[in-house]
Amino acid sequence: MSGHVEAELKVLTRLAQSLISGECLEIEEAFEYQQSGIKITAMPIYHKLVEYIFTIEERGDVMTLQLRSTQIPELFIALPSPLMVKIGSPITVEELC
């Protein structure tokens, strides 16, 4: 069990580092819902075919960003706010000759 937690934490750390460094987060779908006055946006992201969840929780003026494990629901990394997250696919520009 400890090996599984360590492996999941390493992946979450890598995902957090890529987000903080400004890499683009590829999102195929997003789900929004309200729970006890908190607006939650959940976006599945994948790393080596394993699903993780990127969440944005909004409580009035306070926003919390988190990367969550789907295999160990109690395991997550909270990211500092404000943090600019690029969502979508990177745009590629080709030279026309």
Side-chain angles (χ1 to χ4, degrees):
M1 180 66 177
S2 64
H4 185 221
V5 171
E6 182 180 355
E8 284 290 285
L9 188 55
K10 283 181 181 180
V11 172
L12 289 174
T13 301
R14 277 190 233 118
L15 290 172
Q17 287 172 336
S18 67
L19 283 177
I20 292 168
S21 71
E23 289 183 32
C24 191
L25 181 64
E26 293 186 33
I27 301 292
E28 294 180 16
E29 57 189 333
F31 306 96
E32 288 186 7
Y33 59 95
Q34 296 271 344
Q35 181 178 352
S36 304
I38 301 169
K39 179 183 174 187
I40 301 171
T41 305
M43 297 166 263
I45 57 175
Y46 296 90
H47 177 76
K48 295 185 179 180
L49 302 178
V50 177
E51 183 181 63
Y52 295 87
I53 306 288
F54 176 63
T55 63
I56 302 171
E57 297 180 10
E58 298 176 55
R59 295 177 185 91
D61 292 343
V62 178
M63 182 183 294
T64 306
L65 309 174
Q66 300 173 347
L67 287 166
R68 300 182 162 275
S69 168
T70 57
Q71 295 182 12
I72 306 171
E74 302 85 8
L75 187 62
F76 66 91
I77 292 180
L79 299 170
S81 183
L83 175 70
M84 185 173 155
V85 177
K86 296 178 184 176
I87 297 176
S89 301
I91 297 173
T92 57
V93 178
E94 296 180 23
E95 289 186 36
L96 300 175
C97 298

